[in-house]
Protein backbone atom coordinates (compact mmCIF):
# COMPACT_ATOMS: atom_id res chain seq x y z
CA UNK A 1 0.00 0.00 0.00
CA UNK A 2 1.28 3.41 -0.92
CA UNK A 3 1.38 6.24 1.58
CA UNK A 4 -0.12 8.70 -0.91
CA UNK A 5 -1.07 11.92 0.85
CA UNK A 6 -4.63 13.15 0.84
CA UNK A 7 -3.67 16.33 -0.97
CA UNK A 8 -2.67 14.37 -4.12
CA UNK A 9 -5.63 11.97 -4.20
CA UNK A 10 -8.04 12.52 -7.10
CA UNK A 11 -10.27 9.45 -6.74
CA UNK A 12 -11.59 8.00 -3.47
CA UNK A 13 -13.45 4.70 -3.44
CA UNK A 14 -15.57 3.15 -0.72
CA UNK A 15 -16.06 -0.61 -0.52
CA UNK A 16 -18.65 -1.24 2.22
CA UNK A 17 -18.32 -5.03 2.04
CA UNK A 18 -14.73 -5.95 1.06
CA UNK A 19 -13.86 -9.53 0.25
CA UNK A 20 -11.03 -11.96 -0.15
CA UNK A 21 -11.66 -13.26 -3.65
CA UNK A 22 -10.77 -16.89 -4.17
CA UNK A 23 -10.64 -17.81 -7.87
CA UNK A 24 -10.65 -21.44 -8.93
CA UNK A 25 -9.86 -22.18 -12.58
CA UNK A 26 -11.39 -25.37 -13.99
CA UNK A 27 -10.08 -27.44 -16.91
CA UNK A 28 -13.58 -28.39 -18.07
CA UNK A 29 -17.14 -27.00 -17.77
CA UNK A 30 -18.62 -26.88 -14.27
CA UNK A 31 -20.58 -30.03 -13.41
CA UNK A 32 -23.25 -29.48 -10.78
CA UNK A 33 -23.15 -32.23 -8.17
CA UNK A 34 -19.86 -33.60 -9.52
CA UNK A 35 -16.27 -33.67 -8.25
CA UNK A 36 -13.74 -31.72 -10.31
CA UNK A 37 -10.08 -30.82 -10.04
CA UNK A 38 -8.86 -27.26 -10.27
CA UNK A 39 -6.06 -26.13 -12.53
CA UNK A 40 -5.24 -23.19 -10.26
CA UNK A 41 -6.54 -21.49 -7.15
CA UNK A 42 -5.61 -17.97 -6.10
CA UNK A 43 -6.61 -15.52 -3.36
CA UNK A 44 -6.70 -11.75 -3.64
CA UNK A 45 -7.93 -8.91 -1.46
CA UNK A 46 -10.71 -7.33 -3.45
CA UNK A 47 -14.07 -5.62 -3.50
CA UNK A 48 -15.57 -3.43 -6.19
CA UNK A 49 -14.30 -0.11 -4.86
CA UNK A 50 -10.85 -1.57 -4.20
CA UNK A 51 -10.76 -2.81 -7.79
CA UNK A 52 -11.63 0.67 -9.10
CA UNK A 53 -8.89 2.24 -6.97
CA UNK A 54 -6.36 -0.36 -8.19
CA UNK A 55 -7.11 0.34 -11.88
CA UNK A 56 -7.07 4.11 -11.38
CA UNK A 57 -3.74 4.04 -9.50
CA UNK A 58 -2.22 1.62 -12.04
CA UNK A 59 -3.05 4.20 -14.69
CA UNK A 60 -0.99 6.84 -12.91
CA UNK A 61 -3.75 8.72 -11.07
CA UNK A 62 -3.53 8.70 -7.24
CA UNK A 63 -6.40 6.81 -5.61
CA UNK A 64 -7.50 6.18 -2.05
CA UNK A 65 -9.51 3.08 -1.10
CA UNK A 66 -11.57 3.45 2.07
CA UNK A 67 -12.70 0.29 3.87
CA UNK A 68 -15.38 0.11 6.60
CA UNK A 69 -13.28 -1.91 9.07
CA UNK A 70 -9.77 -3.17 9.69
CA UNK A 71 -8.86 -6.76 8.80
CA UNK A 72 -5.12 -7.35 9.06
CA UNK A 73 -5.20 -10.52 6.95
CA UNK A 74 -7.05 -8.66 4.20
CA UNK A 75 -4.68 -5.69 4.37
CA UNK A 76 -1.67 -8.00 4.14
CA UNK A 77 -3.04 -9.56 0.95
CA UNK A 78 -3.87 -6.16 -0.47
CA UNK A 79 -0.39 -4.89 0.29
CA UNK A 80 1.12 -7.63 -1.88
CA UNK A 81 -0.51 -6.31 -5.05
CA UNK A 82 -1.35 -2.62 -4.50
CA UNK A 83 0.21 -0.37 -7.15
CA UNK A 84 2.17 2.78 -6.47
CA UNK A 85 -0.25 5.65 -5.94
CA UNK A 86 -2.92 3.64 -4.12
CA UNK A 87 -3.54 4.53 -0.48
CA UNK A 88 -5.79 2.51 1.84
CA UNK A 89 -7.40 3.57 5.09
CA UNK A 90 -9.81 2.07 7.63
CA UNK A 91 -11.43 3.12 10.89
CA UNK A 92 -10.28 1.39 14.08
CA UNK A 93 -13.17 -1.12 13.94
CA UNK A 94 -11.84 -4.70 13.59
CA UNK A 95 -13.80 -7.31 11.62
CA UNK A 96 -13.11 -10.31 9.35
CA UNK A 97 -13.74 -9.86 5.63
CA UNK A 98 -15.94 -12.29 3.74
CA UNK A 99 -14.59 -14.74 1.16
CA UNK A 100 -16.08 -14.74 -2.35
CA UNK A 101 -15.41 -17.77 -4.54
CA UNK A 102 -15.31 -17.60 -8.34
CA UNK A 103 -15.29 -20.70 -10.53
CA UNK A 104 -13.90 -19.97 -14.01
CA UNK A 105 -14.55 -22.37 -16.88
CA UNK A 106 -12.37 -22.76 -20.00
CA UNK A 107 -14.72 -20.66 -22.17
CA UNK A 108 -14.61 -17.75 -19.72
CA UNK A 109 -17.94 -18.52 -18.02
CA UNK A 110 -17.74 -17.56 -14.35
CA UNK A 111 -19.84 -18.69 -11.40
CA UNK A 112 -19.61 -16.63 -8.22
CA UNK A 113 -20.57 -17.58 -4.66
CA UNK A 114 -20.50 -14.52 -2.41
CA UNK A 115 -20.62 -14.65 1.39
CA UNK A 116 -22.73 -12.03 3.20
CA UNK A 117 -19.90 -10.37 5.14
CA UNK A 118 -19.67 -9.27 8.80
CA UNK A 119 -22.60 -7.53 10.46
CA UNK A 120 -21.85 -3.88 11.23
CA UNK A 121 -23.38 -2.04 14.18
CA UNK A 122 -24.65 1.53 14.10
CA UNK A 123 -21.34 2.58 15.66
CA UNK A 124 -19.40 0.70 12.98
CA UNK A 125 -21.41 2.43 10.24
CA UNK A 126 -20.77 5.85 11.79
CA UNK A 127 -17.02 5.17 11.99
CA UNK A 128 -16.96 4.11 8.33
CA UNK A 129 -18.86 7.25 7.28
CA UNK A 130 -16.40 9.45 9.16
CA UNK A 131 -13.43 7.73 7.48
CA UNK A 132 -14.98 8.21 4.05
CA UNK A 133 -15.84 11.87 4.57
CA UNK A 134 -12.34 12.61 5.82
CA UNK A 135 -10.85 11.11 2.63
CA UNK A 136 -13.45 12.73 0.36
CA UNK A 137 -12.48 16.27 1.32
CA UNK A 138 -9.49 16.15 -1.03
CA UNK A 139 -11.06 14.13 -3.89
CA UNK A 140 -12.48 15.04 -7.28
CA UNK A 141 -14.45 11.79 -7.55
CA UNK A 142 -15.87 9.49 -4.87
CA UNK A 143 -16.93 6.01 -5.97
CA UNK A 144 -19.46 4.06 -3.87
CA UNK A 145 -19.27 0.52 -5.11
CA UNK A 146 -20.51 -2.95 -4.23
CA UNK A 147 -23.05 -4.62 -2.00
CA UNK A 148 -23.91 -3.47 1.50
CA UNK A 149 -22.89 -5.53 4.53
CA UNK A 150 -25.36 -7.02 7.00
CA UNK A 151 -26.47 -4.34 9.45
CA UNK A 152 -26.36 -1.51 6.91
CA UNK A 153 -29.70 0.01 5.92
CA UNK A 154 -30.72 -0.29 2.26
CA UNK A 155 -30.52 3.50 1.92
CA UNK A 156 -26.97 3.77 3.30
CA UNK A 157 -25.57 4.81 -0.08
CA UNK A 158 -28.28 7.45 -0.42
CA UNK A 159 -27.31 8.80 2.99
CA UNK A 160 -23.62 8.78 2.05
CA UNK A 161 -24.37 10.56 -1.22
CA UNK A 162 -26.01 13.45 0.63
CA UNK A 163 -23.05 13.78 3.00
CA UNK A 164 -20.38 13.43 0.29
CA UNK A 165 -22.25 15.84 -1.99
CA UNK A 166 -21.84 18.52 0.68
CA UNK A 167 -18.05 18.11 0.41
CA UNK A 168 -18.19 19.15 -3.25
CA UNK A 169 -16.85 16.16 -5.22
CA UNK A 170 -18.42 14.12 -8.01
CA UNK A 171 -20.06 10.83 -7.04
CA UNK A 172 -20.22 7.52 -8.88
CA UNK A 173 -22.36 4.57 -7.76
CA UNK A 174 -22.16 0.93 -8.84
CA UNK A 175 -24.45 -1.32 -6.82
CA UNK A 176 -27.51 -3.57 -7.19
CA UNK A 177 -30.64 -4.92 -5.54
CA UNK A 178 -32.24 -2.91 -2.69
CA UNK A 179 -29.37 -0.43 -2.39
CA UNK A 180 -29.70 0.44 -6.10
CA UNK A 181 -33.45 0.94 -5.72
CA UNK A 182 -32.80 3.23 -2.76
CA UNK A 183 -30.24 5.31 -4.67
CA UNK A 184 -32.68 5.85 -7.56
CA UNK A 185 -35.55 6.64 -5.17
CA UNK A 186 -33.41 9.35 -3.51
CA UNK A 187 -32.12 11.05 -6.69
CA UNK A 188 -34.39 14.07 -6.28
CA UNK A 189 -32.40 15.28 -3.25
CA UNK A 190 -29.28 13.13 -3.67
CA UNK A 191 -28.21 13.42 -7.34
CA UNK A 192 -25.10 11.67 -8.59
CA UNK A 193 -22.63 12.07 -11.45
CA UNK A 194 -22.25 8.49 -12.66
CA UNK A 195 -24.46 5.41 -12.36
CA UNK A 196 -23.25 2.17 -13.95
CA UNK A 197 -25.95 -0.50 -14.06
CA UNK A 198 -25.45 -3.63 -16.13
CA UNK A 199 -28.28 -5.13 -18.16
CA UNK A 200 -29.65 -7.11 -15.20
CA UNK A 201 -29.64 -4.06 -12.95
CA UNK A 202 -31.32 -1.89 -15.59
CA UNK A 203 -33.97 -4.59 -15.92
CA UNK A 204 -34.40 -4.49 -12.13
CA UNK A 205 -35.04 -0.75 -12.26
CA UNK A 206 -37.29 -0.66 -15.33
CA UNK A 207 -38.93 -4.05 -15.77
CA UNK A 208 -37.41 -4.39 -19.24
CA UNK A 209 -36.75 -7.90 -20.52
CA UNK A 210 -33.01 -7.75 -21.15
CA UNK A 211 -32.23 -11.45 -21.31
CA UNK A 212 -30.76 -10.57 -24.71
CA UNK A 213 -29.54 -6.96 -24.42
CA UNK A 214 -29.39 -4.90 -27.62
CA UNK A 215 -30.80 -7.56 -29.98
CA UNK A 216 -29.46 -7.00 -33.47
CA UNK A 217 -27.62 -3.94 -32.23
CA UNK A 218 -30.86 -2.12 -31.33
CA UNK A 219 -30.20 -0.11 -28.15
CA UNK A 220 -33.30 2.11 -28.32
CA UNK A 221 -35.03 0.61 -25.27
CA UNK A 222 -31.80 0.72 -23.26
CA UNK A 223 -31.15 4.33 -24.23
CA UNK A 224 -34.70 5.36 -23.31
CA UNK A 225 -34.51 3.64 -19.93
CA UNK A 226 -31.11 5.20 -19.22
CA UNK A 227 -32.44 8.61 -20.32
CA UNK A 228 -35.29 8.32 -17.81
CA UNK A 229 -32.73 7.63 -15.08
CA UNK A 230 -30.56 10.51 -16.25
CA UNK A 231 -33.46 12.95 -16.11
CA UNK A 232 -34.12 12.05 -12.49
CA UNK A 233 -30.70 13.20 -11.31
CA UNK A 234 -27.78 11.26 -12.84
CA UNK A 235 -25.33 13.27 -14.94
CA UNK A 236 -23.94 10.18 -16.73
CA UNK A 237 -25.68 6.81 -17.01
CA UNK A 238 -23.41 4.07 -18.36
CA UNK A 239 -25.14 0.75 -19.02
CA UNK A 240 -22.67 -2.09 -19.56
CA UNK A 241 -23.92 -4.87 -21.84
CA UNK A 242 -21.15 -7.44 -21.73
CA UNK A 243 -20.17 -8.55 -25.22
CA UNK A 244 -22.67 -6.07 -26.72
CA UNK A 245 -20.63 -3.12 -25.40
CA UNK A 246 -22.16 -0.24 -23.47
CA UNK A 247 -24.44 2.77 -23.68
CA UNK A 248 -23.90 6.26 -22.26
CA UNK A 249 -26.67 8.82 -21.76
CA UNK A 250 -26.08 12.38 -20.58
CA UNK A 251 -28.16 15.56 -20.73
CA UNK A 252 -26.43 16.35 -24.05
CA UNK A 253 -26.91 13.08 -25.90
CA UNK A 254 -26.57 9.32 -26.06
CA UNK A 255 -23.88 7.02 -27.44
CA UNK A 256 -23.37 3.30 -27.84
CA UNK A 257 -20.01 1.55 -28.04
CA UNK A 258 -19.00 -1.79 -29.50
CA UNK A 259 -16.10 -3.53 -27.75
CA UNK A 260 -12.88 -4.65 -29.44
CA UNK A 261 -12.58 -8.35 -30.31
CA UNK A 262 -11.93 -10.07 -26.99
CA UNK A 263 -11.30 -13.66 -26.01
CA UNK A 264 -13.16 -13.69 -22.70
CA UNK A 265 -11.14 -15.37 -19.96
CA UNK A 266 -12.87 -13.99 -16.86
CA UNK A 267 -15.50 -11.29 -16.30
CA UNK A 268 -14.39 -10.64 -12.70
CA UNK A 269 -13.62 -6.93 -12.30
CA UNK A 270 -14.82 -5.96 -15.78
CA UNK A 271 -17.56 -3.64 -14.51
CA UNK A 272 -15.20 -2.08 -11.96
CA UNK A 273 -12.63 -1.51 -14.69
CA UNK A 274 -15.29 0.20 -16.82
CA UNK A 275 -16.05 2.61 -13.97
CA UNK A 276 -12.33 3.35 -13.59
CA UNK A 277 -11.93 3.88 -17.34
CA UNK A 278 -14.80 6.36 -17.50
CA UNK A 279 -13.51 8.35 -14.53
CA UNK A 280 -9.93 8.40 -15.84
CA UNK A 281 -11.15 9.79 -19.16
CA UNK A 282 -13.33 12.37 -17.40
CA UNK A 283 -10.39 13.50 -15.26
CA UNK A 284 -8.38 13.92 -18.46
CA UNK A 285 -11.08 16.25 -19.83
CA UNK A 286 -12.29 13.85 -22.52
CA UNK A 287 -15.60 14.29 -24.36
CA UNK A 288 -18.48 11.94 -23.42
CA UNK A 289 -17.95 9.63 -26.41
CA UNK A 290 -14.29 9.16 -25.47
CA UNK A 291 -15.24 8.55 -21.82
CA UNK A 292 -17.53 5.76 -23.01
CA UNK A 293 -14.84 4.36 -25.32
CA UNK A 294 -12.34 4.21 -22.47
CA UNK A 295 -14.92 2.61 -20.16
CA UNK A 296 -15.49 -0.13 -22.74
CA UNK A 297 -11.77 -0.51 -23.43
CA UNK A 298 -10.97 -1.02 -19.75
CA UNK A 299 -13.90 -3.40 -19.22
CA UNK A 300 -12.98 -5.45 -22.29
CA UNK A 301 -9.33 -5.59 -21.23
CA UNK A 302 -10.38 -6.96 -17.85
CA UNK A 303 -12.54 -9.63 -19.50
CA UNK A 304 -9.56 -10.77 -21.55
CA UNK A 305 -7.35 -11.31 -18.49
CA UNK A 306 -7.35 -14.45 -16.32
CA UNK A 307 -8.97 -14.77 -12.90
CA UNK A 308 -9.08 -11.55 -10.91
CA UNK A 309 -6.33 -9.82 -12.92
CA UNK A 310 -7.14 -6.16 -13.51
CA UNK A 311 -6.03 -4.13 -16.54
CA UNK A 312 -3.32 -1.52 -16.85
CA UNK A 313 -2.94 0.93 -19.77
CA UNK A 314 -0.74 -1.54 -21.66
CA UNK A 315 -3.70 -3.97 -21.86
CA UNK A 316 -6.04 -1.52 -23.60
CA UNK A 317 -7.36 -1.43 -27.17
CA UNK A 318 -9.11 1.95 -27.00
CA UNK A 319 -8.72 2.63 -30.72
CA UNK A 320 -10.61 -0.58 -31.51
CA UNK A 321 -13.75 0.58 -29.69
CA UNK A 322 -16.37 1.93 -32.10
CA UNK A 323 -18.65 4.63 -30.69
CA UNK A 324 -21.87 5.83 -32.36
CA UNK A 325 -24.22 8.65 -31.42
CA UNK A 326 -27.81 7.53 -30.84
CA UNK A 327 -30.72 9.81 -31.73
CA UNK A 328 -33.32 10.21 -28.98
CA UNK A 329 -36.95 11.19 -28.99
CA UNK A 330 -37.60 14.49 -27.18
CA UNK A 331 -38.24 13.90 -23.50
CA UNK A 332 -39.46 16.25 -20.76
CA UNK A 333 -37.49 16.63 -17.57
CA UNK A 334 -38.69 14.17 -14.94
CA UNK A 335 -40.55 15.95 -12.11
CA UNK A 336 -38.69 15.40 -8.86
CA UNK A 337 -41.83 14.55 -6.86
CA UNK A 338 -43.16 11.68 -8.97
CA UNK A 339 -42.26 8.03 -8.39
CA UNK A 340 -40.03 6.10 -10.77
CA UNK A 341 -41.78 5.19 -13.99
CA UNK A 342 -40.59 3.99 -17.37
CA UNK A 343 -42.26 3.64 -20.77
CA UNK A 344 -40.30 2.25 -23.76
CA UNK A 345 -40.35 4.44 -26.90
CA UNK A 346 -40.24 3.65 -30.58
CA UNK A 347 -36.90 2.58 -32.06
CA UNK A 348 -34.25 5.29 -32.59
CA UNK A 349 -31.46 5.06 -35.18
CA UNK A 350 -27.73 5.20 -34.42
CA UNK A 351 -25.24 7.28 -36.35
CA UNK A 352 -21.47 6.79 -36.28
CA UNK A 353 -19.15 9.47 -34.89
Amino acid sequence: MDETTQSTTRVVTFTPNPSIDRTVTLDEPLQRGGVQRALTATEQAAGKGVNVAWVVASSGVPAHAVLPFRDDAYLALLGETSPVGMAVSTPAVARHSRTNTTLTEPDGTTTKVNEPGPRLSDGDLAAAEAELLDAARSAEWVVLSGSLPPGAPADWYARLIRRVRAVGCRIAVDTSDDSLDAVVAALADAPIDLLKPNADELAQLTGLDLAEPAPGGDVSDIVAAAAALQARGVANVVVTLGGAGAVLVTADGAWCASPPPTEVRSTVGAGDSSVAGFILAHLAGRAPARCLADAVAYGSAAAGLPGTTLPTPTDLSSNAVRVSAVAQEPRPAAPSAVPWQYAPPSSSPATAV
Side-chain angles (χ1 to χ4, degrees):
M1 287 172 288
D2 185 69
E3 296 300 324
T4 304
T5 61
Q6 262 194 347
S7 61
T8 63
T9 298
R10 302 188 71 186
V11 178
V12 168
T13 70
F14 181 57
T15 306
N17 203 6
S19 64
I20 293 176
D21 280 3
R22 180 172 178 80
T23 300
V24 178
T25 304
L26 304 177
D27 63 355
E28 59 182 349
L30 177 65
Q31 301 172 19
R32 293 183 61 194
V35 176
Q36 296 177 246
R37 295 187 181 276
L39 288 176
T40 61
T42 59
E43 285 190 340
Q44 182 175 343
K48 291 179 68 64
V50 170
N51 292 345
V52 173
W54 194 101
V55 174
V56 168
S58 293
S59 300
V61 174
H64 182 162
V66 177
L67 304 174
F69 51 79
R70 184 174 185 86
D71 178 348
D72 289 337
Y74 178 95
L75 293 175
L77 272 176
L78 186 57
E80 294 175 1
T81 60
S82 295
V84 172
M86 177 175 167
V88 180
S89 68
T90 74
V93 175
R95 295 287 185 272
H96 291 295
S97 302
R98 60 184 176 148
T99 297
N100 291 342
T101 302
T102 298
L103 302 176
T104 301
E105 301 177 47
D107 67 353
T109 300
T110 57
T111 302
K112 296 194 70 174
V113 180
N114 293 346
E115 296 180 4
R119 177 169 293 276
L120 301 185
S121 67
D122 288 346
D124 297 340
L125 298 175
E129 287 188 26
E131 190 71 29
L132 174 61
L133 289 172
D134 185 53
R137 291 188 177 92
S138 66
E140 296 178 49
W141 276 89
V142 169
V143 181
L144 309 176
S145 193
S147 64
L148 300 181
D155 68 346
W156 195 26
Y157 274 153
R159 187 169 76 191
L160 291 174
I161 289 165
R162 294 184 185 96
R163 299 194 67 185
V164 171
R165 176 65 63 190
V167 175
C169 42
R170 293 182 173 89
I171 301 169
V173 178
D174 183 9
T175 189
S176 59
D177 301 323
D178 291 347
S179 58
L180 176 59
D181 288 335
V183 167
V184 171
L187 285 173
D189 66 346
I192 59 177
D193 300 278
L194 173 62
L195 184 67
K196 193 216 70 63
N198 59 28
D200 290 340
E201 291 154 358
L202 188 65
Q204 169 194 328
L205 290 172
T206 65
L208 280 174
D209 180 3
L210 295 176
E212 182 188 356
D218 180 9
V219 296
S220 57
D221 279 357
I222 292 170
V223 167
L229 281 171
Q230 190 280 325
R232 291 178 64 86
V234 185
N236 301 274
V237 180
V238 174
V239 184
T240 52
L241 304 171
V247 164
L248 166 65
V249 175
T250 74
D252 298 321
W255 299 263
C256 62
S258 300
T262 303
E263 180 183 352
V264 176
R265 302 179 69 183
S266 172
T267 59
V268 176
D272 308 326
S273 299
S274 294
V275 171
F278 185 95
I279 290 174
L280 285 165
H282 189 276
L283 288 171
R286 306 298 189 190
R290 177 59 186 272
C291 290
L292 177 62
D294 283 7
V296 170
Y298 271 89
S300 298
L305 295 170
T308 58
T309 307
L310 296 169
T312 65
T314 59
D315 299 309
L316 303 182
S317 300
S318 296
N319 292 335
V321 178
R322 184 176 183 275
V323 179
S324 298
V326 181
Q328 298 180 77
E329 293 185 352
R331 53 186 171 93
S336 60
V338 302
W340 165 260
Q341 50 189 322
Y342 165 76
S346 59
S347 179
S348 299
T351 56
V353 295

